Amino acid sequence: MFLHLAADALDWCGASRAEPLPLEGLRERFLPEATFRGRQNAKFQYAVLAAAGVHGGTEPDLLDEVTSWQTDDVWQYAMYAAVAYIRAAASRASQCAKHART
């Protein structure tokens, strides 16, 4: 569910090939209260990329990837990805609204 919510946020902000949402620094900019170390970074990155894949029309193979993860990790990192994408989408929408007024 969280991966699909994150994909909806990407759709809402108009992320596309023509208007990509930069992933570099996504966590630092839009999820600064979360700090990840080592394997946690890889899990967050996987969730972010899996949500982008869902946005692009694919369904990630979660069973193959997450078998070595702890039970709650899948939904937890998908939730972090959703929060980051929702905040990024809101930021992008706010910037577009500012440009439309000028």
Side-chain angles (χ1 to χ4, degrees):
M1 176 180 102
F2 286 121
L3 291 178
H4 289 272
L5 182 62
D8 289 344
L10 287 169
D11 190 49
W12 176 62
C13 76
S16 66
R17 284 184 182 182
E19 294 288 330
L21 178 69
L23 294 183
E24 184 176 347
L26 180 76
R27 193 217 37 91
E28 293 82 2
R29 288 178 290 149
F30 300 111
L31 201 62
E33 68 275 13
T35 55
F36 304 124
R37 290 180 173 79
R39 180 92 170 112
Q40 293 173 327
N41 282 320
K43 291 177 180 182
F44 177 69
Q45 183 179 15
Y46 178 82
V48 164
L49 295 175
V54 170
H55 171 67
T58 64
E59 198 62 40
D61 185 4
L62 295 177
L63 288 178
D64 188 43
E65 173 62 27
V66 301
T67 54
S68 65
W69 294 20
Q70 293 178 357
T71 306
D72 293 341
D73 281 0
V74 177
W75 72 263
Q76 182 180 7
Y77 286 95
M79 179 203 59
Y80 285 133
V83 169
Y85 276 143
I86 290 167
R87 289 176 178 174
S91 176
R92 183 180 257 195
S94 174
Q95 291 172 359
C96 288
K98 286 179 186 176
H99 291 298
R101 284 185 240 143
T102 58

